[in-house]
Amino acid sequence: MGKCNLDHSVEDVQQKFNSQSQWLPEDICSLFHEFLVRNPSQTTLNEMFHLLKKYDLVDEQERKERDRKIKWLILNKEDTKA
């Protein structure tokens, strides 16, 4: 994934999730709302956006790696704004 200098809002991440959710594993989909309500940091929002971006177009190996990173972001409760 390339580096992006744009900051993505919670709404951007939600929209990207909505557009990719049919390709995501059910366990990620069921936990995603919890991720957004935790008020994630800007860095985490940006990372999540780019993991979701073009998810439907990547190969199976890349999906597995993205799934692992997405789950880590969802379950990492330490990274929230003060």
Side-chain angles (χ1 to χ4, degrees):
M1 280 179 284
K3 186 73 175 155
C4 176
N5 294 324
L6 292 176
D7 282 341
H8 299 284
S9 67
V10 170
E11 293 79 17
D12 291 340
V13 175
Q14 180 67 61
Q15 288 176 347
K16 188 57 66 181
F17 170 77
N18 291 345
S19 72
Q20 297 295 324
S21 62
Q22 69 188 56
W23 291 280
L24 291 163
E26 179 56 39
D27 59 338
I28 289 175
C29 290
S30 65
L31 294 171
F32 195 78
H33 180 70
E34 176 186 326
F35 166 76
L36 291 179
V37 298
R38 278 200 340 260
N39 199 17
S41 70
Q42 187 62 62
T43 301
T44 302
L45 286 172
N46 293 346
E47 188 172 354
M48 182 63 81
F49 183 90
H50 289 284
L51 289 168
L52 294 170
K53 185 176 180 180
K54 298 184 180 179
Y55 182 93
D56 57 324
L57 302 178
V58 298
D59 64 34
E60 189 62 30
Q61 183 176 349
E62 176 67 16
R63 280 189 187 189
K64 286 181 181 181
E65 181 62 19
R66 287 189 188 198
D67 290 349
R68 184 186 66 73
K69 290 176 180 178
I70 290 169
K71 287 176 188 176
W72 187 87
L73 287 176
I74 289 172
L75 298 173
N76 181 16
K77 295 178 178 23
E78 260 88 49
D79 188 26
T80 58
K81 296 179 198 171

